[in-house]
Amino acid sequence: MSLLKVEHICKSFGKTGVLKDISFDLEKSGILSIIGSSGSGKTTLLRCLNFLERADKGTISVDGNKIYDGEDSSFLKPDVLRKNRLYFGMVFQSFNLFPQYTALGNVMLARQLEAKKNPAYKEKKKEILEGIEAEAVELLKQMGLSDRMNNYPHQLSGGQCQRVAIARALAMKPDILCFDEPTSALDPELTGEVLRVIRGLAEQKATMIIVTHEMAFARDVSSEVMFMDQGYVLEKGPSKELFENPKEERTKQFLARFREGG
């Protein structure tokens, strides 16, 4: 059984159709890179998966459990959305860190807010917060930020901020980690830092969906690649196969420059 199953997702903004009958599966520990020109619907698809946007139609299921149905308003209840959003971790291209919190504080924050809903929070507050801090420290170490935990975002480079954002997403222990062009705001040297972290997560068998313009990275790290164009999925398949032998003419055109450049 697929970990993630997306069926017939549609999304329009006014009269403009942005996602047009999107369906795909993702296996546990799979890495799906989504490629395509700007405006093809890639980011909107990620936002619908994370419930930052509401799909007009279609269903989303995780591990066999339906977590969204565009025709069932019960999935829009705040407590249901909050619960189902936890299946996904989102890393944005612009980091979205809170400037008033340190790197450690940013990673701990979401877990702290969730912990307060625990009936035992008042009685075990110190123990719970110590556990959250220990996990956050470990995640920042994993990101190579042992010496930056008490720094604020303005004291960090772009690559370091993005690694904090990745640690923050991982802190919620999501089933699926989503990246929206995680290197688009970075210069080439800092891009390498972030891509190395994502490669490390791949080696740890994390399940990931990555919207990216880094074609060589998408080819090398992904188990599958999905090419989107004008709101449609034109082609999806094993990474090596799609890059070396794309079937659709539009995919061939999109990849031509990358393939010619090696």
Side-chain angles (χ1 to χ4, degrees):
M1 181 187 294
S2 299
L3 176 62
L4 173 66
K5 192 173 187 67
V6 175
E7 296 183 284
H8 308 299
I9 290 292
C10 298
K11 175 65 180 176
S12 296
F13 293 105
K15 295 182 179 180
T16 304
V18 179
L19 299 177
K20 303 166 184 176
D21 199 22
I22 303 292
S23 297
F24 66 92
D25 293 358
L26 181 61
E27 300 295 322
K28 185 175 176 61
S29 302
I31 302 170
L32 174 66
S33 282
I34 305 176
I35 62 173
S37 301
S38 296
S40 59
K42 306 182 301 296
T43 292
T44 300
L45 176 57
L46 277 195
R47 290 179 66 83
C48 285
L49 291 178
N50 285 269
F51 306 112
L52 298 171
E53 299 285 355
R54 182 180 67 84
D56 303 321
K57 297 179 183 178
T59 63
I60 302 168
S61 301
V62 176
D63 206 15
N65 302 310
K66 186 185 289 187
I67 64 169
Y68 184 77
D69 186 333
E71 297 181 357
D72 186 345
S73 61
S74 67
F75 286 99
L76 299 177
K77 293 179 180 178
D79 58 330
V80 175
L81 280 174
R82 187 165 52 246
K83 175 186 172 186
N84 289 337
R85 189 173 280 137
L86 294 176
Y87 285 105
F88 298 91
M90 184 75 164
V91 179
F92 301 89
Q93 54 184 296
S94 55
F95 322 138
N96 287 15
L97 299 180
F98 291 99
Q100 70 271 37
Y101 292 103
T102 63
L104 184 60
N106 266 281
V107 176
M108 292 177 61
L109 186 60
R111 286 288 305 281
Q112 288 174 315
L113 294 174
E114 282 298 311
K116 288 180 180 179
K117 299 168 192 170
N118 186 334
Y121 180 75
K122 287 186 178 179
E123 293 178 12
K124 299 183 177 180
K125 179 178 178 180
K126 183 180 178 185
E127 179 184 337
I128 290 172
L129 292 181
E130 285 176 350
I132 291 172
E133 181 173 357
E135 290 181 10
V137 166
E138 193 56 40
L139 282 169
L140 287 168
K141 285 181 180 177
Q142 185 183 335
M143 296 297 117
L145 294 169
S146 298
D147 58 343
R148 293 288 186 268
M149 294 190 192
N150 295 315
N151 286 44
Y152 291 87
H154 75 274
Q155 298 170 318
L156 301 171
S157 70
Q160 289 167 340
C161 283
Q162 193 60 291
R163 284 184 278 156
V164 173
I166 294 171
R168 179 180 60 185
L170 287 170
M172 299 305 294
K173 301 178 181 176
D175 293 76
I176 301 158
L177 194 56
C178 300
F179 294 87
D180 182 17
E181 298 183 20
T183 61
S184 66
L186 306 177
D187 64 38
E189 185 175 358
L190 300 181
T191 291
E193 290 180 18
V194 174
L195 295 184
R196 279 192 294 275
V197 167
I198 298 175
R199 285 181 192 276
L201 294 172
E203 291 170 2
Q204 295 171 33
K205 305 298 183 184
T207 306
M208 295 185 278
I209 301 175
I210 308 168
V211 167
T212 183
H213 290 298
E214 299 284 342
M215 293 296 104
F217 176 75
R219 178 194 62 192
D220 295 342
V221 80
S222 308
S223 51
E224 289 193 292
V225 173
M226 187 164 82
F227 175 65
M228 292 184 65
D229 187 60
Q230 297 183 24
Y232 294 98
V233 174
L234 285 195
E235 193 163 350
K236 177 178 179 284
S239 173
K240 185 176 180 182
E241 182 180 317
L242 188 139
F243 272 91
E244 293 184 358
N245 188 31
K247 295 178 175 61
E248 299 293 328
E249 189 59 37
R250 180 69 186 95
T251 316
K252 294 176 183 177
Q253 293 171 2
F254 180 80
L255 293 174
R257 187 180 305 172
F258 165 71
R259 296 177 73 193
E260 287 167 6

